[in-house]
């Protein structure tokens, strides 16, 4: 049987995001503040910039073509052609940007040297309507699949975590529906109402963990699985979920 690396044999992980970097990077520490893992989600800024420039060029070219087409159209058809052409331009430009833009996978490494990857969080698609899906893998294969529906965010942010066989493993959602609504309506005070999450076992209300964004000058987070006494949730999956509760929320 494949043995899980001892570095994951703990209930608390302290995550500290590195500032002033192009990519999203995190140091993962133990309770004493000693680094035990390193996480990176590359930005791929060169390719992302290329995608934006390509989208801009495509926009200009298609606007010129639309203008030329409208100039030879009868006046009674110019408005319909303009409306249809605008929709086509938006779809085409979005397609160009998505085609060129890179997927942003996340890797959990042994340390900052990045010589030994342990866990990968794979972004399944570059673009999805209203949803986002990620697959968590270790060196042996798939561990879990994360799915987020952005429509839920209107009321309360949540992530669903599934086993490889498709059954629901756990759900992470904002700590309180009241605080969730306050965060929506008091957007300027988001820095005070930090978004924290609770992790529930399957479809039940049994809390097995929590992800708290500590109120400090630096971005520091605590993933605490102490409530999961029976180790229901694999700590590798728990840590991957904790990372998504930050970078996957666009913070």
């Amino acid at each position: 049987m494949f043995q899980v690396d001892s570095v994951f044999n703990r209930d608390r992980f302290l995550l500290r995001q590195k500032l002033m970097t192009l990519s999203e990077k995190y140091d993962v520490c133990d309770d004493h503040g000693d680094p035990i893992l390193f996480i990176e989600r590359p930005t791929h800024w060169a390719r992302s910039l290329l995608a934006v420039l390509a989208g801009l060029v495509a926009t200009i070219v298609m606007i010129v073509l639309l203008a030329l087409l409208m100039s030879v159209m009868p006046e009674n058809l110019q408005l319909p052609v303009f409306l249809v052409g605008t929709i086509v331009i938006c779809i085409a430009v979005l397609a160009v940007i998505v085609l060129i833009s890179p997927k942003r996978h996340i890797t959990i490494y042994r340390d900052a040297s990045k010589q030994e990857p342990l866990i990968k969080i794979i972004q399944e698609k570059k673009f999805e309507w209203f949803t986002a899906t990620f697959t968590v893998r270790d060196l042996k294969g798939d561990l879990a699949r994360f799915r987020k529906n952005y429509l839920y965010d209107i009321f309360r942010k949540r992530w669903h975590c599934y086993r490889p066989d498709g059954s629901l493993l756990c759900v992470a959602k904002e700590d309180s529906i009241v605080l969730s609504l306050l965060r929506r309506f008091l957007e300027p005070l988001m820095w005070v109402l930090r978004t924290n999450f609770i992790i529930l076992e399957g479809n039940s209300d049994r809390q097995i963990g929590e992800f708290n964004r500590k109120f400090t000058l630096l971005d520091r987070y605590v993933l605490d699985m102490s409530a999961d006494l029976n180790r229901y949730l694999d700590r590798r999956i728990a840590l991957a979920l904790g990372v998504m509760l930050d970078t996957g929320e666009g913070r």
Side-chain angles (χ1 to χ4, degrees):
M1 181 177 179
F2 179 67
Q3 294 289 349
V4 176
D5 196 298
S6 61
V7 74
F8 296 102
N9 187 26
R10 63 190 72 244
D11 291 328
R12 281 167 51 91
F13 299 86
L14 311 183
L15 284 74
R16 181 173 65 243
Q17 185 172 13
K18 291 180 175 290
L19 304 179
M20 307 300 290
T21 60
L22 293 176
S23 298
E24 294 176 73
K25 300 178 181 179
Y26 301 81
D27 284 324
V28 182
C29 303
D30 60 18
D31 280 333
H32 303 292
D34 297 323
I36 55 174
L37 294 166
F38 177 77
I39 301 173
E40 182 178 31
R41 188 182 195 186
T43 301
H44 304 294
W45 62 269
R47 188 170 171 184
S48 298
L49 179 59
L50 177 62
V52 173
L53 293 176
L56 180 60
V57 171
T59 301
I60 295 173
V61 170
M62 297 191 71
I63 288 176
V64 171
L65 292 176
L66 178 60
L68 291 174
L69 179 62
M70 290 180 60
S71 67
V72 298
M73 284 287 178
E75 187 173 343
N76 63 323
L77 293 179
Q78 288 184 357
L79 181 58
V81 169
F82 172 77
L83 295 177
V84 173
T86 300
I87 295 174
V88 170
I89 288 174
C90 292
I91 294 174
V93 170
L94 178 61
V96 168
I97 293 176
V98 170
L99 181 64
I100 299 177
S101 297
K103 291 181 180 179
R104 297 186 60 208
H105 306 311
I106 302 167
T107 306
I108 301 177
Y109 295 96
R110 174 79 62 188
D111 53 44
S113 70
K114 300 191 292 186
Q115 297 299 308
E116 187 180 353
L118 300 177
I119 305 290
K120 291 192 72 72
I121 307 172
I122 307 296
Q123 181 182 356
E124 294 186 3
K125 298 179 181 179
K126 295 181 182 180
F127 178 79
E128 297 180 82
W129 291 105
F130 308 121
T131 62
T133 51
F134 298 82
T135 298
V136 183
R137 294 174 182 161
D138 69 356
L139 301 178
K140 294 293 184 178
D142 292 353
L143 296 175
R145 185 169 182 261
F146 299 148
R147 186 174 186 273
K148 176 182 175 63
N149 188 321
Y150 290 104
L151 295 178
Y152 290 153
D153 287 1
I154 299 173
F155 302 104
R156 191 175 187 180
K157 294 180 178 180
R158 69 185 70 183
W159 286 76
H160 289 83
C161 175
Y162 300 92
R163 298 180 180 89
D165 64 7
S167 60
L168 184 63
L169 180 60
C170 66
V171 176
K173 58 184 178 180
E174 281 186 83
D175 49 354
S176 162
I177 184 63
V178 175
L179 290 176
S180 301
L181 295 175
L182 286 175
R183 291 176 185 123
R184 304 300 177 274
F185 294 107
L186 300 177
E187 190 69 25
L189 296 179
M190 283 292 287
W191 64 278
V192 174
L193 298 175
R194 309 299 293 271
T195 304
N196 300 320
F197 290 84
I198 56 175
I199 302 173
L200 306 177
E201 177 182 334
N203 274 318
S204 73
D205 292 326
R206 190 174 86 83
Q207 183 175 333
I208 57 175
E210 57 185 2
F211 181 77
N212 293 321
R213 303 180 73 234
K214 296 179 70 65
F215 188 73
T216 63
L217 293 177
L218 302 176
D219 276 338
R220 300 186 182 209
Y221 323 114
V222 178
L223 174 66
D224 191 342
M225 301 298 300
S226 301
D228 185 18
L229 299 177
N230 296 323
R231 294 293 179 107
Y232 167 81
L233 185 60
D234 187 323
R235 296 306 187 253
R236 297 169 297 174
I237 299 175
L239 179 58
L241 180 59
V243 174
M244 294 310 304
L245 294 179
D246 184 68
T247 185
E249 291 293 342
R251 289 193 295 267

